[in-house]
Amino acid sequence: MKTAICDLLGIDLPLLAFSHCRDVVVEVSLAGGFGVLGGSMFTPEQLETELAWIDDHIQGRPYGVDIIVPERAAALQPGVSIDMDALLAAIPAEHRAYVDEILAAHGVSPATQTGTDGLAFAQSIPAPDELLDVAFSHPIKLIANALGVPPAVMLERGKAAGVPVAALVGAREHAIKQVAAGVDIIIAQGTEAGGHCGEVGTLVLVPEVVEAVAPIPVLAAGGIVTGRQMAASIALGAAGVWTGSVWLTTPEAETAPHTREKFLAATSRDTVRSKGRTGKPSRQLKSPWTEAWAQPGSPEPLPMPLQTLISEPALRHVDALAASGHAGAQDLATYWVGQGVGLMNEVKSTRDVVYEMASDYADAVERVARTLD
Amino acid sequence: MKTAICDLLGIDLPLLAFSHCRDVVVEVSLAGGFGVLGGSMFTPEQLETELAWIDDHIQGRPYGVDIIVPERAAALQPGVSIDMDALLAAIPAEHRAYVDEILAAHGVSPATQTGTDGLAFAQSIPAPDELLDVAFSHPIKLIANALGVPPAVMLERGKAAGVPVAALVGAREHAIKQVAAGVDIIIAQGTEAGGHCGEVGTLVLVPEVVEAVAPIPVLAAGGIVTGRQMAASIALGAAGVWTGSVWLTTPEAETAPHTREKFLAATSRDTVRSKGRTGKPSRQLKSPWTEAWAQPGSPEPLPMPLQTLISEPALRHVDALAASGHAGAQDLATYWVGQGVGLMNEVKSTRDVVYEMASDYADAVERVARTLD
């Protein structure tokens, strides 16, 4: 296949795959797509290990790194020193108590008494510039930023290294700002997407953004888990697609088994755009956790990054209990996923997903072309 | 062009156009698409006049009628007699007062003192079976129902007359129910749509519904205002598209001039899915009216059809004032429109819209086909 993004990244299939799991990254790139490692959950040492492993296994195929995870972007601009104690002190007692109340209602011990109330988590957050040092010491072919305009240091280092910088947007106006800042590839992510997203549907956002930033290449994102949706994205003017959710149910992904089961069973209506995880609206699987933050009378979710400091440790605690069979924790468990989850109904290997998307793409192109016969 | 819906309806272009304006219906059908008259705002006598005019002007080209407007569906099933006085008595004083408060804040006289508080409006609502009598006395080629499973009488009359019955759905589960009830064409309408809509994006909903109801033809709807989006819809497996918003800015549509201006200026983020107009979530242009119903502490919108009985007369009163230049009323004015409004930036004749969509469609198909060269 041939699109602007295939030429730019040296790939056969205009399919970019975001994953926190190195195996997914490698398998996608080996199958002709382009794996992007979500790097911000790692310490610099861990990221080094992951990228070295990728270099050892990817047979020279291109891959990329996504560095600043959305929920920390606000606090973690390079050069801004973060006072974690001050951050933690800024969390109202009401919110800590509410988290404990949600957990208790599902038989889960309170986060405040299990060392999971944010301090250890906050202390583990690496500075993004250290992660950038690691990323640029590897032969990456793309660096991406998931929320807001990339920090200047990322844009400069990308330019210096000849590595295109990509950024996600949920609105036409943001795309224009990103391009003005020097971003090379725009990822137009519709409201269907897992994680942080806006309110505009992919089918409207993509042509809007393409028109606004041409000739900058635009990747379509949000709800895309099949080849027919890839073909639709190209029809809309995108140069390729950016995917995330679809890899979460592959055996190569380190998705918690109880969460994978929930994903396989979920319909497209089982996700919700909620502020309850990070303080900004992000799409995730509905669970009693997301419902608790939408309840009338519930505390208003805290601004970034404070909500993460109460939700993330609690939900990791929940995941650990869920993995050991705790029914209440399994009920509470949730993770970011897009509306495409309704089309993800069986476990397939990463390579099979890529191959099926390629073949489904070709069928869809055929179907469209035939209408003009 | 050739798709299942072109064959079924005898049209050249798989483009269905919903409009309350007979001129739009005729122009779309004459240009090779398929016009569908939204008939439920009319009395039986008015509908007869409109359809007779269409028959006189459409040169034998096929067209359809959409009968049960969403906001009345709940109360207006055939055979259910409606006690309008009881309905009006069921509207809490708090809601009447709140409407007057919103109007007063914009210098608009209170609905309760201007004979626009619902009674006259409620009395003007025709029974849908009388509208069906009128519709089936004309050579319609499609009858559509906009919310919920069509009443049995519509399905039976459609079958007897050999007229396919279409129904709108916003979820896979609803599509399955509709097909089980005997519906011939499913309109899978994503969250981008103007009017009543669900939460699932068109890009996800269409392939989900297509897979669930095959071989029943599916029309894609929600945000579709360009040919590239038509091509995307066919790639997703749809047999064609169902459009509404895009016709509102044509000169043939009877859109109020101040509303047309707002539409032309709006971006895709200027719409909101709100219960404030009908009691069920429907997408409309943001205005102080929609904001008032989202305000913390505002009364919860009433269930269908009660909210319509307070909102519709008030907003018609607002539109009348706005048309005469009342600034507060122009500010308040709103109407149903989808996120595609962001792509609707100039006034074009209905025929030009059709021709541009056809040509943009062909370009998009080319673009997609070239990727496999």
Side-chain angles (χ1 to χ4, degrees), chain B residues 74-274:
Chain B
L76 299 183
Q77 295 299 328
V80 176
S81 85
I82 304 151
D83 182 341
M84 285 298 173
D85 291 339
L87 273 184
L88 290 171
I91 298 173
E94 181 198 5
H95 287 75
R96 293 175 186 270
Y98 191 62
V99 168
D100 282 353
E101 198 184 298
I102 302 170
L103 298 182
H106 293 80
V108 175
S109 48
T112 43
Q113 287 168 29
T114 51
T116 52
D117 68 336
L119 184 58
F121 178 76
Q123 286 167 340
S124 76
I125 299 176
D129 45 355
E130 292 173 45
L131 294 176
L132 283 180
D133 284 341
V134 175
F136 279 105
S137 72
H138 290 265
I140 57 172
K141 293 285 179 269
L142 176 94
I143 189 132
N145 185 57
L147 191 75
V149 175
V153 60
M154 184 187 278
L155 289 161
E156 284 156 15
R157 295 188 70 161
K159 226 154 280 295
V163 172
V165 178
L168 271 88
V169 302
R172 180 181 182 278
E173 306 84 275
H174 301 165
I176 293 169
K177 254 192 229 166
Q178 297 271 11
V179 169
V183 164
D184 304 293
I185 298 169
I186 295 292
I187 304 163
Q189 176 161 282
T191 191
E192 295 92 331
H196 290 104
C197 60
E199 295 190 84
V200 183
T202 306
L203 193 79
V204 170
L205 182 68
V206 171
E208 253 191 319
V209 169
V210 166
E211 197 220 15
V213 305
I216 297 286
V218 173
L219 298 173
I224 300 170
V225 306
T226 65
R228 62 198 67 189
Q229 293 168 306
M230 279 180 68
S233 302
I234 306 284
L236 295 174
V241 299
W242 173 272
T243 56
S245 300
V246 69
W247 314 107
L248 292 171
T249 48
T250 64
E252 288 83 4
E254 287 159 13
T255 309
H258 54 279
T259 303
R260 191 191 316 252
E261 289 311 310
K262 284 188 176 188
F263 285 169
L264 293 170
T267 77
S268 61
R269 296 204 293 167
D270 292 329
T271 73
V272 62
R273 206 170 151 264
S274 159

Side-chain angles (χ1 to χ4, degrees), chain B residues 56-78:
Chain B
D56 281 350
H57 291 81
I58 207 159
Q59 300 173 25
R61 303 282 309 170
Y63 71 94
V65 173
D66 181 300
I67 281 294
I68 303 189
V69 290
E71 67 267 34
R72 298 172 198 163
L76 299 183
Q77 295 299 328

